[in-house]
Amino acid sequence: MTDTPLWRPNPQDLQKSPWMEFSRIAGELAGQSLVDPLALQQWSITDREGFWSALWDYCGVRGSKGERIIENGDAMPGARFFPDAELNFAENLLTRSGAEPAILFRAEDKLRRSMSWDELSALVSRLQKAFRAHGVGPGDRVAAMMPNMPETIAFMLAAASIGAIWSSCSPDFGTTGVLDRFGQIEPKLFISCDGYWYNGKRQDVTAKLVDISASLKPAATVIVPLLDDGEAVAAAVDGAVTLAAFVADHAAAPVVYEKLPFSHPLYILFSSGTTGIPKCIVHSAGGTLLQHLKEQRLHCGLEPGERLFYFTTCGWMMWNWLASGLAVGATLCLYDGSPFYPDGNVIFDYAAEEKFAVLGTSAKFIDAVRKAGIEPRKTHDLSSLRLLTSTGSPLSPEGFTFVYEGIKPDVHLASISGGTDIVSCFVLGIPALPVWRGEIQGPGLGMAVDVWDEDGQPVIGVKGELVCTKPFPAMPIGFWNDPDDQKYLAAYFSRFDNIWTHGDFAEWTTHHGIIIHGRSDATLNPGGVRIGTAEIYNQVEQLDEVAEAICIGQDWDDDVRVVLFVRLADGVELDDALMARIRSKIRTGASPRHVPAKIIAVSDIPRTKSGKIVELAVRDIVHGRQVKNHEALANPEALDLFADLEELKN
């Protein structure tokens, strides 16, 4: 830690920013000065009704706010925000008209397209009519296995316009990975691409699409062309039609918006699947909209017409976050494919050519650019870039330094952290505060974030559990197929009563910032992508050679790498051929992100007396930490097999 910040806000720019404009408005409402960002933060969690109501007004939410702001406001879960309000999420995103681009799109070096605001609205209108023709109404699910392309945004908006619930994943997921997710929510429509590009190569999806569509049995499967193979793929899949055929009978007209409650379900996102098939997390239209408007308008300072980019797939919550930039009137810059094809400059080429104002990426990407010796500061005109955000995993202090030395010396670097659970952030950038090396600037407005020790006491300067002590609108409605909220309560509220426990190890700094030290649960998080161990076991344990497996995340090189331990069948050796088969099985059945960096054979795997394998205990042993619960294990001697392994030192 250093006493000199890496960045300070420009006073003239700050005074003109949405953050300061809102601070002055809030101060008038509160009858006190709130230009100090710490004072504004404190007011936002003390007078929550005043804050969330003022935010609604400032951001110009389209809809009726209603009389009540918060009902049952101390219950977590149970609090209801804007219980009398009515709005439509899509109406709040389709904010503009005209020929200006709403969306820019690149698929590696294979394709460049733009879609104007008028073209986007026209497509949403046609899709909305086609949805209704297929019987889709409020509460029905629409699922998509799609690249990050303009049509995906349009399909989502069409679903939201009529109150249907949207859920998506990326097309690199295997059949099992897709069905483990969408099979639970029984979508009425299933949307897929005809393939996609990755690392310059065509990736075919036809075979798995046949199996997925047959299993889901939707009213229709719609094939969106990216490789220009739409008709051939549609012909191979029972009940499939091309996008052109799907909308052929429906002319564009003004979009009709269903007025729905604030808490109406908008998205279903998925947990990592650590303890079984992924949990289906249901997010509300109003909570998602208001939270994203707050983060993008105030914390990011996003203005209408600016270019907003985030490197994401449709299987990550940052895609949902990115889409909300339309609500500000920003132009979305979409990219699908490898961020290193044809080389590590491709994202910076895009940023320079299209004049990104906000560039979002991952800590792993920043580190990879640094290690590759790429210095965009010397090679690219990034004069339009004022904010660079990093998420997925904690950004290392070296990563902070590199951004200012290698990318842009006067950019506002905002390391952010939150997750699928809240489809937004707990802690993120604050434009009125300095950036300190290795630190996230602070909590989001309205987010009563704290760090507690094991006894539930607030701590400063030491690691503890990241918690949120008061309800907020972006809390999930609940989990799908969880009628008594048992899974929902167990996920976030079992550690401390009426307190959200997020599963991050965190620490307050002397600058009122936050350092995230990693996950405190068993979820794997390589490259910032949440991965469930059960999804890996479901694949690898189908192999006859593997009797049993256990998987952990090992802290490595400022990130996390997946390590798979296998107990093999009698007489089987772990040679190169078997390791290749294991990796191939995981890659095709789950996704490339699930493939372990290390595969190591062990003779036994520790388990509890009830027969459950103990991932956290193995992870602690690998990291040299003491395991305190030996008495709970049926075979505690097996832990010794994982200690001080040479294979994990390189």
Side-chain angles (χ1 to χ4, degrees):
M1 192 176 295
T2 176
D3 290 331
T4 303
L6 293 169
W7 177 87
R8 290 187 188 275
N10 177 288
Q12 290 77 29
D13 292 342
L14 179 60
Q15 288 305 313
K16 296 182 292 184
S17 69
W19 177 280
M20 289 305 297
E21 184 181 27
F22 180 79
S23 297
R24 289 188 286 267
I25 293 171
E28 292 175 6
L29 294 171
Q32 59 178 305
S33 174
L34 295 177
V35 295
D36 179 348
L38 299 180
L40 180 62
Q41 167 66 24
Q42 187 59 43
W43 171 77
S44 75
I45 61 174
T46 302
D47 184 2
R48 289 179 295 146
E49 288 197 355
F51 167 70
W52 291 108
S53 178
L55 181 70
W56 175 299
D57 294 340
Y58 178 76
C59 293
V61 173
R62 298 180 180 184
S64 58
K65 186 164 64 172
E67 294 268 337
R68 295 175 296 169
I69 307 303
I70 307 177
E71 180 184 59
N72 201 20
D74 293 327
M76 188 156 48
R80 296 180 64 211
F81 286 79
F82 300 95
D84 306 315
E86 286 190 336
L87 56 81
N88 185 279
F89 183 82
E91 184 177 15
N92 279 277
L93 267 64
L94 289 171
T95 54
R96 297 176 60 187
S97 60
E100 289 295 310
I103 303 174
L104 302 174
F105 172 56
R106 295 189 183 187
E108 293 190 343
D109 60 349
K110 309 300 180 185
L111 185 65
R112 296 187 182 192
R113 281 202 284 125
S114 67
M115 182 178 284
S116 72
W117 287 92
D118 282 352
E119 289 169 337
L120 177 60
S121 293
L123 179 55
V124 170
S125 167
R126 300 181 72 193
L127 289 171
Q128 179 190 70
K129 291 181 177 182
F131 281 13
R132 292 190 188 280
H134 283 81
V136 178
D140 288 331
R141 277 76 61 207
V142 176
M145 183 182 77
M146 283 286 287
N148 181 22
M149 61 189 295
E151 287 79 2
T152 315
I153 300 284
F155 271 101
M156 180 274 288
L157 292 171
S161 72
I162 58 179
I165 307 171
W166 174 263
S167 192
S168 61
C169 73
S170 54
D172 60 348
F173 271 75
T175 302
T176 304
V178 175
L179 292 176
D180 280 352
R181 288 161 174 79
F182 296 158
Q184 297 184 71
I185 64 174
E186 301 174 294
K188 183 161 282 189
L189 290 180
F190 177 54
I191 321 298
S192 176
C193 56
D194 61 351
Y196 60 100
W197 297 99
Y198 200 84
N199 269 335
K201 298 177 181 177
R202 296 168 64 95
Q203 308 291 328
D204 183 67
V205 299
T206 307
K208 66 182 175 185
L209 191 53
V210 168
D211 294 337
I212 292 167
S213 185
S215 181
L216 293 179
K217 298 180 174 63
T221 296
V222 185
I223 307 300
V224 180
L226 181 61
L227 303 184
D228 292 326
D229 287 342
E231 291 188 4
V233 173
V237 179
D238 285 344
V241 296
T242 63
L243 171 58
F246 186 63
V247 299
D249 295 334
H250 307 288
V255 180
V256 179
Y257 301 104
E258 292 280 344
K259 293 295 189 286
L260 300 160
F262 187 89
S263 61
H264 185 80
L266 170 71
Y267 291 140
I268 295 176
L269 277 64
F270 299 96
S271 71
S272 56
T274 300
T275 57
I277 61 174
K279 298 179 182 67
C280 310
I281 305 170
V282 186
H283 287 291
S284 72
T288 301
L289 175 67
L290 206 54
Q291 184 84 331
H292 288 179
L293 280 169
K294 177 198 74 179
E295 293 179 350
Q296 295 179 355
R297 192 82 179 97
L298 302 184
H299 289 273
C300 295
L302 193 62
E303 299 277 12
E306 285 194 316
R307 303 284 171 91
L308 170 65
F309 172 87
Y310 221 103
F311 182 77
T312 181
T313 72
C314 297
W316 191 22
M317 55 119 329
M318 292 311 304
W319 179 86
N320 306 79
W321 189 93
L322 172 63
S324 293
L326 294 173
V328 179
T331 296
L332 307 186
C333 299
L334 310 184
Y335 181 87
D336 196 76
S338 168
F340 285 94
Y341 184 85
D343 58 45
N345 287 298
V346 62
I347 300 301
F348 299 107
D349 293 343
Y350 195 3
E353 291 168 21
E354 299 297 351
K355 296 180 169 41
F356 292 176
V358 180
L359 189 159
T361 186
S362 67
K364 192 63 179 175
F365 175 78
I366 292 171
D367 190 52
V369 169
R370 177 175 66 88
K371 290 179 178 176
I374 298 169
E375 295 184 77
R377 177 182 180 179
K378 298 178 180 178
T379 55
H380 291 74
D381 177 7
L382 300 178
S383 54
S384 297
L385 183 66
R386 55 173 184 77
L387 175 66
L388 191 152
T389 66
S390 170
T391 191
S393 58
L395 182 62
S396 67
E398 294 78 12
F400 273 77
T401 299
F402 171 71
V403 167
Y404 286 97
E405 293 181 350
I407 297 179
K408 193 165 192 257
D410 62 348
V411 75
H412 177 195
L413 170 61
S415 181
I416 67 178
S417 182
T420 301
D421 319 83
I422 64 169
V423 71
S424 58
C425 303
F426 279 116
V427 290
L428 69 169
I430 298 175
L433 289 176
V435 172
W436 299 90
R437 189 173 186 262
E439 299 183 20
I440 299 174
Q441 287 178 285
L445 294 174
M447 309 295 281
V449 172
D450 208 348
V451 178
W452 284 12
D453 65 15
E454 292 183 355
D455 299 319
Q457 297 300 310
V459 291
I460 297 174
V462 295
K463 298 176 186 178
E465 287 282 353
L466 183 75
V467 299
C468 192
T469 62
K470 295 181 180 181
F472 51 95
M475 292 170 59
I477 301 169
F479 290 174
W480 194 259
N481 292 330
D482 184 27
D484 299 322
D485 283 338
Q486 291 183 358
K487 294 178 182 178
Y488 181 34
L489 291 168
Y492 310 114
F493 305 104
S494 60
R495 181 74 182 274
F496 303 114
D497 184 50
N498 210 46
I499 298 293
W500 180 290
T501 305
H502 195 54
D504 277 343
F505 268 128
E507 177 185 350
W508 286 114
T509 73
T510 56
H511 305 122
H512 306 284
I514 287 269
I515 298 173
I516 303 290
H517 292 284
R519 297 294 295 166
S520 57
D521 60 16
T523 303
L524 307 176
N525 210 25
V529 179
R530 300 181 71 197
I531 286 176
T533 53
E535 294 183 283
I536 295 176
Y537 303 149
N538 288 343
Q539 300 304 318
V540 71
E541 290 180 1
Q542 293 180 39
L543 298 172
D544 292 339
E545 297 92 336
V546 178
E548 192 177 22
I550 190 167
C551 196
I552 67 157
Q554 181 194 13
D555 296 338
W556 188 260
D557 201 13
D558 295 324
D559 196 9
V560 174
R561 66 179 180 182
V562 178
V563 179
L564 177 67
F565 298 96
V566 290
R567 182 172 64 82
L568 300 174
D570 291 342
V572 175
E573 290 186 5
L574 185 63
D575 56 17
D576 290 345
L578 179 55
M579 283 196 281
R581 286 191 62 210
I582 291 172
R583 288 192 167 99
S584 176
K585 180 66 175 174
I586 294 170
R587 180 181 292 107
T588 56
S591 87
R593 297 177 181 83
H594 293 71
V595 176
K598 294 280 186 176
I599 304 175
I600 299 171
V602 290
S603 59
D604 198 8
I605 289 175
R607 59 185 57 81
T608 65
K609 291 182 172 64
S610 61
K612 295 181 180 179
I613 60 174
V614 285
E615 296 158 327
L616 294 181
V618 169
R619 190 181 69 180
D620 284 342
I621 289 292
V622 165
H623 289 98
R625 297 191 287 261
Q626 183 180 359
V627 174
K628 301 177 182 178
N629 63 338
H630 280 244
E631 66 280 358
L633 301 181
N635 55 340
E637 68 281 359
L639 288 172
D640 296 337
L641 301 171
F642 300 84
D644 202 32
L645 293 174
E646 287 298 322
E647 297 97 319
L648 295 182
K649 295 179 181 179
N650 56 64

